[in-house]
Amino acid sequence: GQGEASARGTTMEGDCLSCIKYLMFVFNFLIFLGGSFLLGVGVWVLVDPTGFREIVATNPLLFTGVYIILGMGGMLFLLGFLGCCGAIRENKCLLLF
């Protein structure tokens, strides 16, 4: 009767929390991949800017945007990595960061 209902509620809560845990991991992993992509593009433009210079030739202000891309990519990379670690280990401090 009553014991079975409370036991089922506990397993449903556990399943829901487990689902949320893995969803948080997936979203943080996507943020991590986005940061990696931005870092890759920023480094590529800094290392081999010949292809990018044709675009930038019209507006040199765009070249300073590379540093913004690198900064954003680094921040997203770090946030995504710490979020993934926090979600898997269920570490509240890493998730709040």
Side-chain angles (χ1 to χ4, degrees), residues 1-2 17 25 45 52 61 73 84 87 89:
Q2 190 76 9
L17 290 177
F25 175 79
V45 169
F52 190 70
L61 184 64
C84 285
R89 303 182 97 202

mmCIF file with all atom_site columns, all heavy atoms in Angstrom, residues 1-2 17 25 45 52 61 73 84 87 89:
data_model
loop_
_atom_site.group_PDB
_atom_site.id
_atom_site.type_symbol
_atom_site.label_atom_id
_atom_site.label_alt_id
_atom_site.label_comp_id
_atom_site.label_asym_id
_atom_site.label_entity_id
_atom_site.label_seq_id
_atom_site.pdbx_PDB_ins_code
_atom_site.Cartn_x
_atom_site.Cartn_y
_atom_site.Cartn_z
_atom_site.occupancy
_atom_site.B_iso_or_equiv
_atom_site.pdbx_formal_charge
_atom_site.auth_seq_id
_atom_site.auth_comp_id
_atom_site.auth_asym_id
_atom_site.auth_atom_id
_atom_site.pdbx_PDB_model_num
ATOM 1  N N   . GLY A 1 1  ? 0.789  -1.165 0.000   1.00 0.00 ? 1  GLY A N   1
ATOM 2  C CA  . GLY A 1 1  ? 0.000  0.000  0.000   1.00 0.00 ? 1  GLY A CA  1
ATOM 3  C C   . GLY A 1 1  ? 0.845  1.249  0.000   1.00 0.00 ? 1  GLY A C   1
ATOM 4  O O   . GLY A 1 1  ? 1.421  1.629  -1.009  1.00 0.00 ? 1  GLY A O   1
ATOM 5  N N   . GLN A 1 2  ? 0.922  1.861  1.173   1.00 0.00 ? 2  GLN A N   1
ATOM 6  C CA  . GLN A 1 2  ? 1.599  3.158  1.306   1.00 0.00 ? 2  GLN A CA  1
ATOM 7  C C   . GLN A 1 2  ? 3.098  3.054  1.059   1.00 0.00 ? 2  GLN A C   1
ATOM 8  O O   . GLN A 1 2  ? 3.686  3.912  0.436   1.00 0.00 ? 2  GLN A O   1
ATOM 9  C CB  . GLN A 1 2  ? 1.332  3.706  2.721   1.00 0.00 ? 2  GLN A CB  1
ATOM 10 C CG  . GLN A 1 2  ? 1.771  5.136  2.917   1.00 0.00 ? 2  GLN A CG  1
ATOM 11 C CD  . GLN A 1 2  ? 0.819  6.116  2.259   1.00 0.00 ? 2  GLN A CD  1
ATOM 12 O OE1 . GLN A 1 2  ? -0.265 5.748  1.790   1.00 0.00 ? 2  GLN A OE1 1
ATOM 13 N NE2 . GLN A 1 2  ? 1.213  7.353  2.200   1.00 0.00 ? 2  GLN A NE2 1
ATOM 14 N N   . LEU A 1 17 ? 16.258 12.792 -11.653 1.00 0.00 ? 17 LEU A N   1
ATOM 15 C CA  . LEU A 1 17 ? 17.518 13.474 -11.350 1.00 0.00 ? 17 LEU A CA  1
ATOM 16 C C   . LEU A 1 17 ? 18.646 12.948 -12.221 1.00 0.00 ? 17 LEU A C   1
ATOM 17 O O   . LEU A 1 17 ? 19.519 13.702 -12.658 1.00 0.00 ? 17 LEU A O   1
ATOM 18 C CB  . LEU A 1 17 ? 17.862 13.323 -9.867  1.00 0.00 ? 17 LEU A CB  1
ATOM 19 C CG  . LEU A 1 17 ? 16.961 14.099 -8.904  1.00 0.00 ? 17 LEU A CG  1
ATOM 20 C CD1 . LEU A 1 17 ? 17.348 13.820 -7.461  1.00 0.00 ? 17 LEU A CD1 1
ATOM 21 C CD2 . LEU A 1 17 ? 17.034 15.586 -9.188  1.00 0.00 ? 17 LEU A CD2 1
ATOM 22 N N   . PHE A 1 25 ? 24.959 17.413 -18.671 1.00 0.00 ? 25 PHE A N   1
ATOM 23 C CA  . PHE A 1 25 ? 26.235 17.021 -19.269 1.00 0.00 ? 25 PHE A CA  1
ATOM 24 C C   . PHE A 1 25 ? 26.214 17.283 -20.779 1.00 0.00 ? 25 PHE A C   1
ATOM 25 O O   . PHE A 1 25 ? 27.161 17.840 -21.332 1.00 0.00 ? 25 PHE A O   1
ATOM 26 C CB  . PHE A 1 25 ? 26.535 15.556 -18.993 1.00 0.00 ? 25 PHE A CB  1
ATOM 27 C CG  . PHE A 1 25 ? 27.779 15.075 -19.691 1.00 0.00 ? 25 PHE A CG  1
ATOM 28 C CD1 . PHE A 1 25 ? 29.023 15.357 -19.173 1.00 0.00 ? 25 PHE A CD1 1
ATOM 29 C CD2 . PHE A 1 25 ? 27.694 14.372 -20.880 1.00 0.00 ? 25 PHE A CD2 1
ATOM 30 C CE1 . PHE A 1 25 ? 30.171 14.948 -19.824 1.00 0.00 ? 25 PHE A CE1 1
ATOM 31 C CE2 . PHE A 1 25 ? 28.831 13.952 -21.542 1.00 0.00 ? 25 PHE A CE2 1
ATOM 32 C CZ  . PHE A 1 25 ? 30.077 14.238 -21.007 1.00 0.00 ? 25 PHE A CZ  1
ATOM 33 N N   . VAL A 1 45 ? 43.096 31.786 -37.596 1.00 0.00 ? 45 VAL A N   1
ATOM 34 C CA  . VAL A 1 45 ? 43.211 33.123 -38.185 1.00 0.00 ? 45 VAL A CA  1
ATOM 35 C C   . VAL A 1 45 ? 44.508 33.793 -37.746 1.00 0.00 ? 45 VAL A C   1
ATOM 36 O O   . VAL A 1 45 ? 45.163 34.470 -38.537 1.00 0.00 ? 45 VAL A O   1
ATOM 37 C CB  . VAL A 1 45 ? 41.982 33.983 -37.821 1.00 0.00 ? 45 VAL A CB  1
ATOM 38 C CG1 . VAL A 1 45 ? 42.197 35.438 -38.180 1.00 0.00 ? 45 VAL A CG1 1
ATOM 39 C CG2 . VAL A 1 45 ? 40.747 33.447 -38.512 1.00 0.00 ? 45 VAL A CG2 1
ATOM 40 N N   . PHE A 1 52 ? 42.154 34.985 -44.480 1.00 0.00 ? 52 PHE A N   1
ATOM 41 C CA  . PHE A 1 52 ? 41.293 35.903 -43.734 1.00 0.00 ? 52 PHE A CA  1
ATOM 42 C C   . PHE A 1 52 ? 41.588 37.355 -44.104 1.00 0.00 ? 52 PHE A C   1
ATOM 43 O O   . PHE A 1 52 ? 40.715 38.206 -43.998 1.00 0.00 ? 52 PHE A O   1
ATOM 44 C CB  . PHE A 1 52 ? 41.503 35.669 -42.243 1.00 0.00 ? 52 PHE A CB  1
ATOM 45 C CG  . PHE A 1 52 ? 40.515 36.361 -41.366 1.00 0.00 ? 52 PHE A CG  1
ATOM 46 C CD1 . PHE A 1 52 ? 39.190 35.948 -41.329 1.00 0.00 ? 52 PHE A CD1 1
ATOM 47 C CD2 . PHE A 1 52 ? 40.892 37.430 -40.575 1.00 0.00 ? 52 PHE A CD2 1
ATOM 48 C CE1 . PHE A 1 52 ? 38.269 36.576 -40.515 1.00 0.00 ? 52 PHE A CE1 1
ATOM 49 C CE2 . PHE A 1 52 ? 39.975 38.064 -39.763 1.00 0.00 ? 52 PHE A CE2 1
ATOM 50 C CZ  . PHE A 1 52 ? 38.674 37.639 -39.737 1.00 0.00 ? 52 PHE A CZ  1
ATOM 51 N N   . LEU A 1 61 ? 39.285 46.643 -38.636 1.00 0.00 ? 61 LEU A N   1
ATOM 52 C CA  . LEU A 1 61 ? 38.697 46.467 -37.311 1.00 0.00 ? 61 LEU A CA  1
ATOM 53 C C   . LEU A 1 61 ? 38.282 45.014 -37.083 1.00 0.00 ? 61 LEU A C   1
ATOM 54 O O   . LEU A 1 61 ? 38.268 44.530 -35.956 1.00 0.00 ? 61 LEU A O   1
ATOM 55 C CB  . LEU A 1 61 ? 37.494 47.402 -37.149 1.00 0.00 ? 61 LEU A CB  1
ATOM 56 C CG  . LEU A 1 61 ? 36.813 47.431 -35.785 1.00 0.00 ? 61 LEU A CG  1
ATOM 57 C CD1 . LEU A 1 61 ? 37.802 47.967 -34.740 1.00 0.00 ? 61 LEU A CD1 1
ATOM 58 C CD2 . LEU A 1 61 ? 35.586 48.297 -35.833 1.00 0.00 ? 61 LEU A CD2 1
ATOM 59 N N   . GLY A 1 73 ? 35.950 32.041 -26.981 1.00 0.00 ? 73 GLY A N   1
ATOM 60 C CA  . GLY A 1 73 ? 36.179 30.607 -27.143 1.00 0.00 ? 73 GLY A CA  1
ATOM 61 C C   . GLY A 1 73 ? 36.829 30.006 -25.910 1.00 0.00 ? 73 GLY A C   1
ATOM 62 O O   . GLY A 1 73 ? 36.426 28.936 -25.444 1.00 0.00 ? 73 GLY A O   1
ATOM 63 N N   . CYS A 1 84 ? 30.755 20.069 -17.553 1.00 0.00 ? 84 CYS A N   1
ATOM 64 C CA  . CYS A 1 84 ? 30.721 18.616 -17.781 1.00 0.00 ? 84 CYS A CA  1
ATOM 65 C C   . CYS A 1 84 ? 31.228 17.868 -16.560 1.00 0.00 ? 84 CYS A C   1
ATOM 66 O O   . CYS A 1 84 ? 30.627 16.889 -16.118 1.00 0.00 ? 84 CYS A O   1
ATOM 67 C CB  . CYS A 1 84 ? 31.564 18.242 -19.002 1.00 0.00 ? 84 CYS A CB  1
ATOM 68 S SG  . CYS A 1 84 ? 30.794 18.644 -20.570 1.00 0.00 ? 84 CYS A SG  1
ATOM 69 N N   . ALA A 1 87 ? 28.660 18.151 -13.783 1.00 0.00 ? 87 ALA A N   1
ATOM 70 C CA  . ALA A 1 87 ? 27.443 17.364 -14.005 1.00 0.00 ? 87 ALA A CA  1
ATOM 71 C C   . ALA A 1 87 ? 27.695 15.885 -13.743 1.00 0.00 ? 87 ALA A C   1
ATOM 72 O O   . ALA A 1 87 ? 26.877 15.216 -13.120 1.00 0.00 ? 87 ALA A O   1
ATOM 73 C CB  . ALA A 1 87 ? 26.936 17.568 -15.433 1.00 0.00 ? 87 ALA A CB  1
ATOM 74 N N   . ARG A 1 89 ? 30.174 14.500 -11.911 1.00 0.00 ? 89 ARG A N   1
ATOM 75 C CA  . ARG A 1 89 ? 30.548 14.239 -10.515 1.00 0.00 ? 89 ARG A CA  1
ATOM 76 C C   . ARG A 1 89 ? 29.506 14.775 -9.532  1.00 0.00 ? 89 ARG A C   1
ATOM 77 O O   . ARG A 1 89 ? 29.658 14.610 -8.329  1.00 0.00 ? 89 ARG A O   1
ATOM 78 C CB  . ARG A 1 89 ? 31.901 14.866 -10.218 1.00 0.00 ? 89 ARG A CB  1
ATOM 79 C CG  . ARG A 1 89 ? 32.979 14.344 -11.164 1.00 0.00 ? 89 ARG A CG  1
ATOM 80 C CD  . ARG A 1 89 ? 34.298 14.929 -10.848 1.00 0.00 ? 89 ARG A CD  1
ATOM 81 N NE  . ARG A 1 89 ? 34.994 13.955 -10.014 1.00 0.00 ? 89 ARG A NE  1
ATOM 82 C CZ  . ARG A 1 89 ? 35.983 14.242 -9.208  1.00 0.00 ? 89 ARG A CZ  1
ATOM 83 N NH1 . ARG A 1 89 ? 36.394 15.475 -9.101  1.00 0.00 ? 89 ARG A NH1 1
ATOM 84 N NH2 . ARG A 1 89 ? 36.561 13.295 -8.501  1.00 0.00 ? 89 ARG A NH2 1
#
